[in-house]
Amino acid sequence: MAALLFSMVPLFAATVWAQGLTLPAGASLQVSGGRLDLAGGDASIAGAFALGAGELRGVGAWRIAAGGSADFGSGIASLTGDWENRGIFTAGSSRVELRDGASPSSALLGTSQFANLSLVSLSGKRYRFESGFTQRVAAQLQIQGQGPAIQVDVTVPGNLAYLNLLAGGTQAIANVGVSDVYATGQHLAPMLTNQGGNGNAQGWFGNGVVVTPPTPVPALGWPMLLVLTGGMLWAAAQARRSGRHQGAEHAAW
């Protein structure tokens, strides 16, 4: 089966198999109530993809390029490779599943807000979060090792990534090790212990604290620095002048 290249194509209650998907800029694909099976191939989305109430199965890697968009509506998507979002991802009420495949690891790259995110493995797969980025989950977060413990870590060891289960969301977590991924929303797996992680897992398990990702402080340019310095010098001069005036009044009295 060859890769499919779509342009302005709707799929209504149809099942389509293809070895991969390429959606170029300016093209669109609506799955609606249909089913799209990529037979292990990768998807590259530079156009506009809409899943609707459809199903996306057999995906290797799913990549939304800068300028591309994917609206998952109320659908379900299952993949075995990387998830990458450099464009616009609209979760709706959808479910995204990352599962075992040919590779022992999958990466979550860029920043996405999922409705329902499921990371499940029978083989102790590694799910690597891109360092410096945050993944958010609004409805349900599932992380379950159904064999050896799943390992949740980062793309650059020692450089943090963040996972935020939003208020009101639920969690189903079991048999997981965490390294360098901080929980910044709800406390995750509070009744569990870290199974094989390096221990740097704030906001997880019974001994973590919820943290807030650092917010860069913008540097002041030279004009603002000059204004700030001038203001400080003026305030100091006023304070000295006021002190001399009060001293003179006291001496006269």
mmCIF file of all heavy atoms in Angstrom, residues 15-66:
data_model
loop_
_atom_site.group_PDB
_atom_site.id
_atom_site.type_symbol
_atom_site.label_atom_id
_atom_site.label_comp_id
_atom_site.label_asym_id
_atom_site.label_seq_id
_atom_site.Cartn_x
_atom_site.Cartn_y
_atom_site.Cartn_z
ATOM 1 N N THR A 15 -13.964 3.044 5.391
ATOM 2 C CA THR A 15 -12.709 2.573 5.954
ATOM 3 C C THR A 15 -11.651 2.629 4.863
ATOM 4 O O THR A 15 -11.846 2.085 3.778
ATOM 5 C CB THR A 15 -12.837 1.132 6.478
ATOM 6 O OG1 THR A 15 -13.836 1.095 7.508
ATOM 7 C CG2 THR A 15 -11.515 0.659 7.051
ATOM 8 N N VAL A 16 -10.558 3.326 5.154
ATOM 9 C CA VAL A 16 -9.490 3.489 4.177
ATOM 10 C C VAL A 16 -8.196 2.994 4.796
ATOM 11 O O VAL A 16 -7.867 3.341 5.927
ATOM 12 C CB VAL A 16 -9.347 4.972 3.757
ATOM 13 C CG1 VAL A 16 -8.154 5.151 2.829
ATOM 14 C CG2 VAL A 16 -10.623 5.456 3.079
ATOM 15 N N TRP A 17 -7.460 2.152 4.052
ATOM 16 C CA TRP A 17 -6.152 1.678 4.485
ATOM 17 C C TRP A 17 -5.082 2.329 3.612
ATOM 18 O O TRP A 17 -5.244 2.453 2.395
ATOM 19 C CB TRP A 17 -6.043 0.165 4.350
ATOM 20 C CG TRP A 17 -6.853 -0.594 5.347
ATOM 21 C CD1 TRP A 17 -6.468 -1.034 6.576
ATOM 22 C CD2 TRP A 17 -8.207 -1.023 5.189
ATOM 23 N NE1 TRP A 17 -7.489 -1.699 7.199
ATOM 24 C CE2 TRP A 17 -8.578 -1.713 6.368
ATOM 25 C CE3 TRP A 17 -9.156 -0.880 4.165
ATOM 26 C CZ2 TRP A 17 -9.834 -2.262 6.549
ATOM 27 C CZ3 TRP A 17 -10.413 -1.426 4.346
ATOM 28 C CH2 TRP A 17 -10.743 -2.108 5.529
ATOM 29 N N ALA A 18 -3.989 2.728 4.234
ATOM 30 C CA ALA A 18 -2.890 3.318 3.472
ATOM 31 C C ALA A 18 -1.611 3.177 4.276
ATOM 32 O O ALA A 18 -1.638 3.139 5.507
ATOM 33 C CB ALA A 18 -3.167 4.782 3.183
ATOM 34 N N GLN A 19 -0.489 3.084 3.593
ATOM 35 C CA GLN A 19 0.802 2.992 4.264
ATOM 36 C C GLN A 19 1.330 4.404 4.485
ATOM 37 O O GLN A 19 2.262 4.850 3.831
ATOM 38 C CB GLN A 19 1.789 2.183 3.422
ATOM 39 C CG GLN A 19 3.094 1.847 4.149
ATOM 40 C CD GLN A 19 2.919 0.757 5.182
ATOM 41 O OE1 GLN A 19 2.248 -0.235 4.927
ATOM 42 N NE2 GLN A 19 3.526 0.938 6.339
ATOM 43 N N GLY A 20 0.688 5.134 5.402
ATOM 44 C CA GLY A 20 1.115 6.488 5.707
ATOM 45 C C GLY A 20 0.186 7.528 5.111
ATOM 46 O O GLY A 20 -0.671 7.238 4.271
ATOM 47 N N LEU A 21 0.356 8.764 5.574
ATOM 48 C CA LEU A 21 -0.503 9.866 5.156
ATOM 49 C C LEU A 21 0.325 11.136 5.063
ATOM 50 O O LEU A 21 1.058 11.483 5.994
ATOM 51 C CB LEU A 21 -1.630 10.067 6.179
ATOM 52 C CG LEU A 21 -2.442 11.362 6.081
ATOM 53 C CD1 LEU A 21 -3.243 11.395 4.786
ATOM 54 C CD2 LEU A 21 -3.370 11.494 7.288
ATOM 55 N N THR A 22 0.215 11.832 3.935
ATOM 56 C CA THR A 22 0.827 13.143 3.772
ATOM 57 C C THR A 22 -0.270 14.125 3.397
ATOM 58 O O THR A 22 -0.962 13.940 2.391
ATOM 59 C CB THR A 22 1.905 13.133 2.674
ATOM 60 O OG1 THR A 22 2.942 12.228 3.045
ATOM 61 C CG2 THR A 22 2.497 14.522 2.496
ATOM 62 N N LEU A 23 -0.435 15.159 4.221
ATOM 63 C CA LEU A 23 -1.442 16.183 3.966
ATOM 64 C C LEU A 23 -0.704 17.507 3.789
ATOM 65 O O LEU A 23 -0.304 18.141 4.764
ATOM 66 C CB LEU A 23 -2.427 16.261 5.134
ATOM 67 C CG LEU A 23 -3.691 17.094 4.918
ATOM 68 C CD1 LEU A 23 -4.562 16.472 3.829
ATOM 69 C CD2 LEU A 23 -4.481 17.211 6.215
ATOM 70 N N PRO A 24 -0.500 17.942 2.555
ATOM 71 C CA PRO A 24 0.317 19.138 2.315
ATOM 72 C C PRO A 24 -0.411 20.419 2.700
ATOM 73 O O PRO A 24 -1.633 20.431 2.888
ATOM 74 C CB PRO A 24 0.578 19.078 0.806
ATOM 75 C CG PRO A 24 -0.568 18.305 0.253
ATOM 76 C CD PRO A 24 -0.959 17.318 1.309
ATOM 77 N N ALA A 25 0.341 21.494 2.808
ATOM 78 C CA ALA A 25 -0.242 22.798 3.106
ATOM 79 C C ALA A 25 -1.291 23.145 2.057
ATOM 80 O O ALA A 25 -1.096 22.925 0.863
ATOM 81 C CB ALA A 25 0.853 23.862 3.134
ATOM 82 N N GLY A 26 -2.431 23.649 2.515
ATOM 83 C CA GLY A 26 -3.518 24.004 1.613
ATOM 84 C C GLY A 26 -4.508 22.889 1.371
ATOM 85 O O GLY A 26 -5.596 23.128 0.851
ATOM 86 N N ALA A 27 -4.149 21.655 1.735
ATOM 87 C CA ALA A 27 -5.051 20.514 1.564
ATOM 88 C C ALA A 27 -5.817 20.273 2.856
ATOM 89 O O ALA A 27 -5.433 20.733 3.934
ATOM 90 C CB ALA A 27 -4.268 19.271 1.180
ATOM 91 N N SER A 28 -6.928 19.533 2.761
ATOM 92 C CA SER A 28 -7.704 19.203 3.951
ATOM 93 C C SER A 28 -8.250 17.792 3.834
ATOM 94 O O SER A 28 -8.455 17.272 2.734
ATOM 95 C CB SER A 28 -8.853 20.199 4.155
ATOM 96 O OG SER A 28 -9.787 20.108 3.100
ATOM 97 N N LEU A 29 -8.475 17.186 4.983
ATOM 98 C CA LEU A 29 -9.041 15.838 5.044
ATOM 99 C C LEU A 29 -9.992 15.766 6.221
ATOM 100 O O LEU A 29 -9.622 16.093 7.349
ATOM 101 C CB LEU A 29 -7.933 14.795 5.205
ATOM 102 C CG LEU A 29 -8.405 13.352 5.480
ATOM 103 C CD1 LEU A 29 -9.238 12.828 4.313
ATOM 104 C CD2 LEU A 29 -7.216 12.444 5.748
ATOM 105 N N GLN A 30 -11.228 15.331 5.969
ATOM 106 C CA GLN A 30 -12.226 15.131 7.010
ATOM 107 C C GLN A 30 -12.551 13.644 7.090
ATOM 108 O O GLN A 30 -13.054 13.070 6.121
ATOM 109 C CB GLN A 30 -13.494 15.924 6.703
ATOM 110 C CG GLN A 30 -13.296 17.425 6.624
ATOM 111 C CD GLN A 30 -14.574 18.148 6.260
ATOM 112 O OE1 GLN A 30 -15.672 17.660 6.533
ATOM 113 N NE2 GLN A 30 -14.442 19.312 5.648
ATOM 114 N N VAL A 31 -12.258 13.039 8.230
ATOM 115 C CA VAL A 31 -12.557 11.623 8.404
ATOM 116 C C VAL A 31 -14.012 11.433 8.809
ATOM 117 O O VAL A 31 -14.643 10.434 8.469
ATOM 118 C CB VAL A 31 -11.609 10.994 9.446
ATOM 119 C CG1 VAL A 31 -11.939 9.525 9.664
ATOM 120 C CG2 VAL A 31 -10.160 11.151 8.992
ATOM 121 N N SER A 32 -14.581 12.400 9.523
ATOM 122 C CA SER A 32 -15.982 12.373 9.960
ATOM 123 C C SER A 32 -16.269 11.077 10.708
ATOM 124 O O SER A 32 -15.630 10.783 11.695
ATOM 125 C CB SER A 32 -16.910 12.567 8.761
ATOM 126 O OG SER A 32 -16.660 13.832 8.162
ATOM 127 N N GLY A 33 -17.207 10.256 10.224
ATOM 128 C CA GLY A 33 -17.529 9.010 10.910
ATOM 129 C C GLY A 33 -16.783 7.822 10.352
ATOM 130 O O GLY A 33 -17.098 6.677 10.673
ATOM 131 N N GLY A 34 -15.779 8.064 9.528
ATOM 132 C CA GLY A 34 -15.053 6.968 8.904
ATOM 133 C C GLY A 34 -13.897 6.472 9.744
ATOM 134 O O GLY A 34 -13.686 6.885 10.879
ATOM 135 N N ARG A 35 -13.149 5.557 9.147
ATOM 136 C CA ARG A 35 -11.983 4.971 9.812
ATOM 137 C C ARG A 35 -10.810 5.010 8.843
ATOM 138 O O ARG A 35 -10.925 4.569 7.700
ATOM 139 C CB ARG A 35 -12.270 3.531 10.230
ATOM 140 C CG ARG A 35 -11.053 2.806 10.794
ATOM 141 C CD ARG A 35 -11.424 1.419 11.271
ATOM 142 N NE ARG A 35 -10.248 0.662 11.686
ATOM 143 C CZ ARG A 35 -10.212 -0.164 12.710
ATOM 144 N NH1 ARG A 35 -11.294 -0.342 13.449
ATOM 145 N NH2 ARG A 35 -9.116 -0.825 13.012
ATOM 146 N N LEU A 36 -9.692 5.552 9.327
ATOM 147 C CA LEU A 36 -8.484 5.650 8.527
ATOM 148 C C LEU A 36 -7.404 4.820 9.194
ATOM 149 O O LEU A 36 -7.017 5.087 10.332
ATOM 150 C CB LEU A 36 -8.047 7.113 8.415
ATOM 151 C CG LEU A 36 -6.810 7.418 7.576
ATOM 152 C CD1 LEU A 36 -6.995 6.952 6.135
ATOM 153 C CD2 LEU A 36 -6.505 8.916 7.612
ATOM 154 N N ASP A 37 -6.918 3.785 8.508
ATOM 155 C CA ASP A 37 -5.899 2.883 9.041
ATOM 156 C C ASP A 37 -4.630 3.066 8.218
ATOM 157 O O ASP A 37 -4.612 2.810 7.015
ATOM 158 C CB ASP A 37 -6.387 1.437 8.966
ATOM 159 C CG ASP A 37 -5.510 0.485 9.774
ATOM 160 O OD1 ASP A 37 -4.276 0.669 9.774
ATOM 161 O OD2 ASP A 37 -6.061 -0.433 10.404
ATOM 162 N N LEU A 38 -3.555 3.504 8.882
ATOM 163 C CA LEU A 38 -2.308 3.795 8.173
ATOM 164 C C LEU A 38 -1.352 2.610 8.153
ATOM 165 O O LEU A 38 -0.225 2.744 7.670
ATOM 166 C CB LEU A 38 -1.620 5.010 8.794
ATOM 167 C CG LEU A 38 -2.426 6.315 8.767
ATOM 168 C CD1 LEU A 38 -1.562 7.474 9.234
ATOM 169 C CD2 LEU A 38 -2.998 6.590 7.387
ATOM 170 N N ALA A 39 -1.774 1.469 8.656
ATOM 171 C CA ALA A 39 -1.003 0.225 8.552
ATOM 172 C C ALA A 39 0.440 0.388 9.021
ATOM 173 O O ALA A 39 1.369 -0.154 8.429
ATOM 174 C CB ALA A 39 -1.034 -0.285 7.111
ATOM 175 N N GLY A 40 0.632 1.156 10.086
ATOM 176 C CA GLY A 40 1.968 1.343 10.642
ATOM 177 C C GLY A 40 2.746 2.487 10.035
ATOM 178 O O GLY A 40 3.862 2.780 10.472
ATOM 179 N N GLY A 41 2.189 3.150 9.034
ATOM 180 C CA GLY A 41 2.884 4.263 8.393
ATOM 181 C C GLY A 41 2.763 5.547 9.194
ATOM 182 O O GLY A 41 1.923 5.679 10.087
ATOM 183 N N ASP A 42 3.606 6.513 8.853
ATOM 184 C CA ASP A 42 3.617 7.796 9.545
ATOM 185 C C ASP A 42 2.653 8.775 8.887
ATOM 186 O O ASP A 42 2.302 8.635 7.708
ATOM 187 C CB ASP A 42 5.022 8.400 9.541
ATOM 188 C CG ASP A 42 6.031 7.530 10.283
ATOM 189 O OD1 ASP A 42 5.596 6.717 11.132
ATOM 190 O OD2 ASP A 42 7.238 7.669 10.011
ATOM 191 N N ALA A 43 2.258 9.789 9.658
ATOM 192 C CA ALA A 43 1.400 10.856 9.143
ATOM 193 C C ALA A 43 2.125 12.183 9.278
ATOM 194 O O ALA A 43 2.696 12.490 10.333
ATOM 195 C CB ALA A 43 0.084 10.904 9.905
ATOM 196 N N SER A 44 2.103 12.967 8.206
ATOM 197 C CA SER A 44 2.689 14.302 8.198
ATOM 198 C C SER A 44 1.597 15.286 7.815
ATOM 199 O O SER A 44 1.079 15.248 6.693
ATOM 200 C CB SER A 44 3.854 14.367 7.206
ATOM 201 O OG SER A 44 4.381 15.672 7.132
ATOM 202 N N ILE A 45 1.238 16.174 8.748
ATOM 203 C CA ILE A 45 0.092 17.058 8.567
ATOM 204 C C ILE A 45 0.579 18.498 8.451
ATOM 205 O O ILE A 45 0.993 19.115 9.436
ATOM 206 C CB ILE A 45 -0.899 16.936 9.745
ATOM 207 C CG1 ILE A 45 -1.280 15.474 9.990
ATOM 208 C CG2 ILE A 45 -2.124 17.798 9.489
ATOM 209 C CD1 ILE A 45 -1.956 14.799 8.827
ATOM 210 N N ALA A 46 0.535 19.032 7.237
ATOM 211 C CA ALA A 46 0.842 20.444 7.020
ATOM 212 C C ALA A 46 -0.405 21.216 6.604
ATOM 213 O O ALA A 46 -0.386 22.443 6.555
ATOM 214 C CB ALA A 46 1.928 20.596 5.954
ATOM 215 N N GLY A 47 -1.488 20.490 6.285
ATOM 216 C CA GLY A 47 -2.760 21.101 5.935
ATOM 217 C C GLY A 47 -3.715 21.064 7.111
ATOM 218 O O GLY A 47 -3.301 21.187 8.266
ATOM 219 N N ALA A 48 -5.011 20.868 6.819
ATOM 220 C CA ALA A 48 -6.049 20.870 7.856
ATOM 221 C C ALA A 48 -6.687 19.485 7.934
ATOM 222 O O ALA A 48 -7.338 19.040 6.985
ATOM 223 C CB ALA A 48 -7.100 21.925 7.545
ATOM 224 N N PHE A 49 -6.510 18.822 9.070
ATOM 225 C CA PHE A 49 -7.048 17.481 9.285
ATOM 226 C C PHE A 49 -8.163 17.567 10.313
ATOM 227 O O PHE A 49 -8.018 18.215 11.355
ATOM 228 C CB PHE A 49 -5.947 16.547 9.789
ATOM 229 C CG PHE A 49 -6.415 15.145 10.090
ATOM 230 C CD1 PHE A 49 -6.395 14.170 9.104
ATOM 231 C CD2 PHE A 49 -6.872 14.812 11.358
ATOM 232 C CE1 PHE A 49 -6.826 12.877 9.379
ATOM 233 C CE2 PHE A 49 -7.305 13.524 11.643
ATOM 234 C CZ PHE A 49 -7.281 12.554 10.651
ATOM 235 N N ALA A 50 -9.291 16.889 10.041
ATOM 236 C CA ALA A 50 -10.411 16.852 10.980
ATOM 237 C C ALA A 50 -10.856 15.406 11.158
ATOM 238 O O ALA A 50 -11.255 14.752 10.197
ATOM 239 C CB ALA A 50 -11.568 17.710 10.475
ATOM 240 N N LEU A 51 -10.771 14.914 12.386
ATOM 241 C CA LEU A 51 -11.128 13.523 12.666
ATOM 242 C C LEU A 51 -12.618 13.361 12.927
ATOM 243 O O LEU A 51 -13.192 12.308 12.643
ATOM 244 C CB LEU A 51 -10.320 13.021 13.868
ATOM 245 C CG LEU A 51 -10.465 11.554 14.253
ATOM 246 C CD1 LEU A 51 -10.124 10.635 13.078
ATOM 247 C CD2 LEU A 51 -9.579 11.228 15.463
ATOM 248 N N GLY A 52 -13.262 14.385 13.452
ATOM 249 C CA GLY A 52 -14.690 14.288 13.755
ATOM 250 C C GLY A 52 -14.961 13.176 14.747
ATOM 251 O O GLY A 52 -14.305 13.061 15.774
ATOM 252 N N ALA A 53 -15.930 12.321 14.423
ATOM 253 C CA ALA A 53 -16.240 11.167 15.260
ATOM 254 C C ALA A 53 -15.564 9.912 14.730
ATOM 255 O O ALA A 53 -15.935 8.794 15.095
ATOM 256 C CB ALA A 53 -17.750 10.961 15.326
ATOM 257 N N GLY A 54 -14.560 10.084 13.895
ATOM 258 C CA GLY A 54 -13.923 8.950 13.239
ATOM 259 C C GLY A 54 -12.841 8.285 14.068
ATOM 260 O O GLY A 54 -12.589 8.641 15.225
ATOM 261 N N GLU A 55 -12.187 7.307 13.442
ATOM 262 C CA GLU A 55 -11.109 6.560 14.079
ATOM 263 C C GLU A 55 -9.851 6.663 13.227
ATOM 264 O O GLU A 55 -9.904 6.577 11.997
ATOM 265 C CB GLU A 55 -11.481 5.084 14.230
ATOM 266 C CG GLU A 55 -12.660 4.825 15.138
ATOM 267 C CD GLU A 55 -12.935 3.330 15.277
ATOM 268 O OE1 GLU A 55 -11.960 2.549 15.345
ATOM 269 O OE2 GLU A 55 -14.114 2.947 15.287
ATOM 270 N N LEU A 56 -8.746 6.818 13.916
ATOM 271 C CA LEU A 56 -7.438 6.867 13.276
ATOM 272 C C LEU A 56 -6.624 5.736 13.884
ATOM 273 O O LEU A 56 -6.271 5.777 15.065
ATOM 274 C CB LEU A 56 -6.790 8.224 13.539
ATOM 275 C CG LEU A 56 -5.478 8.563 12.851
ATOM 276 C CD1 LEU A 56 -5.623 8.532 11.334
ATOM 277 C CD2 LEU A 56 -5.003 9.940 13.299
ATOM 278 N N ARG A 57 -6.341 4.709 13.084
ATOM 279 C CA ARG A 57 -5.708 3.500 13.603
ATOM 280 C C ARG A 57 -4.409 3.203 12.859
ATOM 281 O O ARG A 57 -4.172 3.680 11.756
ATOM 282 C CB ARG A 57 -6.654 2.305 13.451
ATOM 283 C CG ARG A 57 -7.978 2.447 14.186
ATOM 284 C CD ARG A 57 -7.810 2.333 15.677
ATOM 285 N NE ARG A 57 -9.080 2.316 16.387
ATOM 286 C CZ ARG A 57 -9.197 2.215 17.709
ATOM 287 N NH1 ARG A 57 -8.119 2.103 18.458
ATOM 288 N NH2 ARG A 57 -10.394 2.227 18.279
ATOM 289 N N GLY A 58 -3.584 2.367 13.498
ATOM 290 C CA GLY A 58 -2.383 1.880 12.840
ATOM 291 C C GLY A 58 -1.384 2.957 12.482
ATOM 292 O O GLY A 58 -0.631 2.820 11.514
ATOM 293 N N VAL A 59 -1.336 4.024 13.265
ATOM 294 C CA VAL A 59 -0.427 5.132 12.961
ATOM 295 C C VAL A 59 0.943 4.836 13.555
ATOM 296 O O VAL A 59 1.056 4.387 14.699
ATOM 297 C CB VAL A 59 -0.973 6.455 13.530
ATOM 298 C CG1 VAL A 59 -0.053 7.614 13.168
ATOM 299 C CG2 VAL A 59 -2.388 6.711 13.029
ATOM 300 N N GLY A 60 1.992 5.081 12.774
ATOM 301 C CA GLY A 60 3.341 5.038 13.317
ATOM 302 C C GLY A 60 3.583 6.317 14.093
ATOM 303 O O GLY A 60 3.223 6.444 15.252
ATOM 304 N N ALA A 61 4.181 7.315 13.452
ATOM 305 C CA ALA A 61 4.371 8.635 14.060
ATOM 306 C C ALA A 61 3.315 9.594 13.523
ATOM 307 O O ALA A 61 2.949 9.539 12.347
ATOM 308 C CB ALA A 61 5.766 9.162 13.754
ATOM 309 N N TRP A 62 2.851 10.474 14.393
ATOM 310 C CA TRP A 62 1.885 11.510 14.004
ATOM 311 C C TRP A 62 2.564 12.854 14.194
ATOM 312 O O TRP A 62 2.953 13.217 15.303
ATOM 313 C CB TRP A 62 0.633 11.417 14.867
ATOM 314 C CG TRP A 62 -0.376 12.493 14.564
ATOM 315 C CD1 TRP A 62 -0.492 13.709 15.172
ATOM 316 C CD2 TRP A 62 -1.387 12.444 13.557
ATOM 317 N NE1 TRP A 62 -1.517 14.417 14.611
ATOM 318 C CE2 TRP A 62 -2.085 13.669 13.616
ATOM 319 C CE3 TRP A 62 -1.766 11.490 12.620
ATOM 320 C CZ2 TRP A 62 -3.153 13.962 12.778
ATOM 321 C CZ3 TRP A 62 -2.826 11.777 11.777
ATOM 322 C CH2 TRP A 62 -3.510 13.000 11.863
ATOM 323 N N ARG A 63 2.716 13.614 13.096
ATOM 324 C CA ARG A 63 3.451 14.873 13.162
ATOM 325 C C ARG A 63 2.623 15.991 12.532
ATOM 326 O O ARG A 63 2.258 15.917 11.354
ATOM 327 C CB ARG A 63 4.799 14.746 12.451
ATOM 328 C CG ARG A 63 5.651 13.597 12.988
ATOM 329 C CD ARG A 63 7.066 13.605 12.425
ATOM 330 N NE ARG A 63 7.783 12.386 12.764
ATOM 331 C CZ ARG A 63 8.366 12.156 13.946
ATOM 332 N NH1 ARG A 63 8.294 13.076 14.897
ATOM 333 N NH2 ARG A 63 9.000 11.022 14.179
ATOM 334 N N ILE A 64 2.343 17.017 13.347
ATOM 335 C CA ILE A 64 1.665 18.216 12.863
ATOM 336 C C ILE A 64 2.742 19.275 12.658
ATOM 337 O O ILE A 64 3.392 19.712 13.613
ATOM 338 C CB ILE A 64 0.614 18.715 13.864
ATOM 339 C CG1 ILE A 64 -0.364 17.589 14.232
ATOM 340 C CG2 ILE A 64 -0.140 19.914 13.295
ATOM 341 C CD1 ILE A 64 -1.293 17.940 15.377
ATOM 342 N N ALA A 65 2.921 19.678 11.415
ATOM 343 C CA ALA A 65 3.973 20.637 11.092
ATOM 344 C C ALA A 65 3.532 22.057 11.440
ATOM 345 O O ALA A 65 2.338 22.338 11.620
ATOM 346 C CB ALA A 65 4.312 20.550 9.603
ATOM 347 N N ALA A 66 4.489 22.962 11.532
ATOM 348 C CA ALA A 66 4.166 24.373 11.714
ATOM 349 C C ALA A 66 3.264 24.819 10.566
ATOM 350 O O ALA A 66 3.553 24.561 9.397
ATOM 351 C CB ALA A 66 5.447 25.202 11.744
#
